[in-house]
């Protein structure tokens, strides 16, 4: 059974193209158009899930959860950088 999960895609213009980033997994791609950058990011995510070790996936998702908690706390990030 395939599991579905939604991820964030941040797409920004950079020079003559677009850069796309999935911050939850720290995976990026690019393209000449917004649509191409989005599609390339989806492909990069699919390849990551097909080839990554389950522990790598879990560690990246755990880091995102921790970063989310830090952001929501309202405390300065610098408090957590030395931990």
């Amino acid at each position: 059974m395939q599991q579905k999960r939604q991820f964030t895609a941040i797409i920004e213009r950079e020079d003559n193209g677009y850069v796309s980033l999935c911050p939850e997994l720290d995976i990026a791609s690019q393209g000449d158009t917004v649509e191409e950058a989005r599609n390339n990011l989806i492909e990069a995510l699919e390849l990551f899930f097909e080839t990554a070790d389950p522990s790598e996936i879990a560690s990246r998702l755990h880091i995102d959860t921790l970063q989310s908690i830090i952001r929501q706390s309202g405390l300065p990030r610098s408090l957590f950088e030395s931990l």
Side-chain angles (χ1 to χ4, degrees):
M1 181 173 156
Q2 249 185 344
Q3 185 178 4
K4 288 194 173 196
R5 182 166 177 177
Q6 287 187 336
F7 293 99
T8 305
I10 300 171
I11 302 174
E12 296 180 334
R13 183 153 183 89
E14 188 171 291
D15 299 322
N16 294 328
Y18 294 86
V19 174
S20 52
L21 170 69
C22 173
E24 291 93 345
L25 295 167
D26 195 30
I27 294 176
S29 193
Q30 62 184 6
D32 292 331
T33 65
V34 170
E35 184 176 343
E36 185 179 356
R38 179 185 176 277
N39 290 337
N40 289 344
L41 180 60
I42 290 169
E43 182 178 358
L45 289 167
E46 289 171 346
L47 289 170
F48 171 73
F49 283 112
E50 288 173 13
T51 60
D53 187 82
S55 63
E56 170 73 5
I57 295 169
S59 69
R60 289 190 183 213
L61 290 174
H62 175 71
I63 288 169
D64 173 60
T65 302
L66 181 57
Q67 289 173 342
S68 177
I69 291 168
I70 291 169
R71 278 194 304 271
Q72 291 174 17
S73 74
L75 297 171
R77 183 181 180 144
S78 60
L79 284 176
F80 299 93
E81 290 176 349
S82 62
L83 298 177

